[in-house]
Amino acid sequence: MATEHPMQLAMVGLGRMGANLVRRLMRDGHSCVVFDVNPAATAALVAEGAVGASSLADLVAKLERPRNVWIMVPAGIVQPMVDELEALLEADDVIIDGGNSYYRDDILRARQLAARQIHYIDCGTSGGVWGLERGYSLMIGGEDAQVERLGPIWRTIAPGEGSVEPTLGRTRTDGTAQEGYLHCGPNGAGHFVKMVHNGVEYGMMAAIAEGLSIIKHANVGLHQQEFDAETTPLRDPEFYQYEIDVAEVAEVWRRGSVVGSWLVDLTASALAKDPELATFDGRVSDSGEGRWTTIAAIEEGVPAPVITASLIQRFESRGLGQFTGRVLSAMRSEFGGHAERKD
């Protein structure tokens, strides 16, 4: 069913998230003007009903005032994009950054644009490639009037109140959180909440991965161990003789378990396709939010050992601790003649 209050929105950056946001908006009756540095990405959405633009200037020219321009690009590209748009936009126009920018940058950008009476909204967007059908959870920062004016956009993108069971004990009837979007506060607040959201995600992912790895290695007692001065012996092999199907564990955890979650759903799906996950090397990237969350925790004086440890584990997965290990091996060799094992 189409929205009762259709709006016009420009989308800059038509990757999987940006393109699907456009599709969700058009499906609900909004009109979209789109631009991407890849003309094929623009053409694909034009074929689905969007208005294509050949440049940012062309995109702005095709918008009605007040213009609403949503940027969905990597954090490192946002500033030059904002600078270029600033020269093209006019008073009361709005730039929305829907990516994962650092919230401190949002504060500076809003201040920069305010000099020309252009408004800036930071919108943390969670939903990934599944958001087209499920909807996207939105964490929004910006001025009250502009955030409220864009209400029809948020309501279309968000999952809606009926997407999950009502929260037990919740009696609050005002606000929008139950719809799947929240105005968290002034500029930067949306990306601050999304930053911490992603930090939490790091910790949850690490705990699931570590737990399944412990289960996978519960058969260590079945294997002959080498006994030497460099290897800690397994004290009680009889207690570690389980050959447990990790893929089936992930499947059963999905069903009624306290740890059941979308992350476990995705893990079970990956294991069903490849029980040994042989197509992955285990090199885990971090895009910044975990680092920024850890910095915020330190500056606030808030203990966050789980998130911090999960971030450090990602560094280790990329071999960034290799020299540390070499130094440790060198020290053991120097102080005690401990030969490094090569297996």
Side-chain angles (χ1 to χ4, degrees):
M1 182 177 178
T3 179
E4 295 180 1
H5 303 286
M7 298 187 71
Q8 184 188 52
L9 181 81
M11 183 66 67
V12 178
L14 304 175
R16 287 177 296 180
M17 289 278 283
N20 280 344
L21 284 167
V22 169
R23 292 184 177 103
R24 190 168 173 91
L25 286 162
M26 291 194 301
R27 191 168 65 186
D28 204 28
H30 301 284
S31 60
C32 293
V33 181
V34 299
F35 170 71
D36 193 277
V37 292
N38 177 10
T42 302
L45 284 172
V46 169
E48 297 179 36
V51 175
S54 58
S55 65
L56 288 183
D58 185 36
L59 177 129
V60 170
K62 290 177 176 176
L63 295 174
E64 302 167 1
R65 297 190 62 190
R67 305 176 183 94
N68 308 306
V69 182
W70 185 306
I71 302 172
M72 206 66 179
V73 298
I77 306 175
V78 172
Q79 188 60 51
M81 193 79 67
V82 167
D83 293 341
E84 187 173 351
L85 284 169
E86 179 185 9
L88 297 168
L89 297 175
E90 301 174 272
D92 291 330
D93 291 345
V94 176
I95 296 175
I96 306 159
D97 179 7
N100 282 324
S101 292
Y102 193 17
Y103 78 97
R104 296 188 182 192
D105 293 336
D106 294 323
I107 296 171
L108 299 177
R109 288 169 186 149
R111 190 178 301 160
Q112 168 190 340
L113 294 170
R116 296 194 58 238
Q117 296 181 292
I118 300 170
H119 305 284
Y120 183 88
I121 292 175
D122 48 285
C123 181
T125 309
S126 182
V129 297
W130 305 86
L132 176 60
E133 299 304 326
R134 290 166 52 108
Y136 299 85
S137 177
L138 304 178
M139 294 143 268
I140 305 163
E143 301 160 88
D144 292 350
Q146 280 65 45
V147 172
E148 184 176 349
R149 181 177 70 81
L150 289 165
I153 297 293
W154 315 131
R155 284 190 289 274
T156 289
I157 294 172
E161 187 169 1
S163 60
V164 296
E165 291 294 321
T167 300
L168 188 65
R170 178 182 169 92
T171 58
R172 182 170 175 176
T173 56
D174 62 339
T176 62
Q178 69 276 7
E179 298 286 345
Y181 71 96
L182 177 66
H183 184 197
C184 301
N187 292 118
H191 276 155
F192 187 91
V193 173
K194 180 56 161 53
M195 171 188 81
V196 178
H197 165 283
N198 285 21
V200 170
E201 182 182 306
Y202 280 31
M204 292 173 68
M205 292 173 70
I208 293 167
E210 289 173 10
L212 291 176
S213 186
I214 293 168
I215 290 170
K216 180 176 178 59
H217 291 92
N219 63 356
V220 66
L222 295 173
H223 304 292
Q224 181 67 36
Q225 279 195 300
E226 293 186 35
F227 296 98
D228 57 56
E230 301 304 310
T231 305
T232 302
L234 181 62
R235 178 176 173 176
D236 299 302
E238 64 179 304
F239 297 130
Y240 297 96
Q241 301 199 9
Y242 300 118
E243 296 279 11
I244 301 172
D245 188 326
V246 176
E248 291 297 273
V249 170
E251 183 65 26
V252 78
W253 280 2
R254 294 185 59 217
R255 304 174 185 278
S257 163
V258 170
V259 300
S261 63
W262 188 36
L263 290 173
V264 172
D265 292 347
L266 298 176
T267 304
S269 177
L271 288 166
K273 298 169 188 172
D274 179 6
E276 295 298 320
L277 301 180
T279 56
F280 298 95
D281 292 328
R283 185 187 186 281
V284 187
S285 299
D286 72 288
S287 53
E289 303 84 37
R291 302 187 190 203
W292 303 334
T293 302
T294 300
I295 291 169
I298 292 170
E299 293 187 340
E300 293 175 2
V302 173
V306 173
I307 293 174
T308 303
S310 67
L311 173 66
I312 301 304
Q313 192 277 332
R314 292 192 178 202
F315 297 163
E316 183 66 43
S317 78
R318 304 201 298 270
L320 298 177
Q322 187 176 53
F323 188 72
T324 305
R326 289 176 179 174
V327 172
L328 289 170
S329 285
M331 284 191 285
R332 295 186 78 246
S333 177
E334 291 294 323
F335 71 62
H338 298 281
E340 184 180 68
R341 288 179 61 92
K342 299 300 182 184
D343 60 339

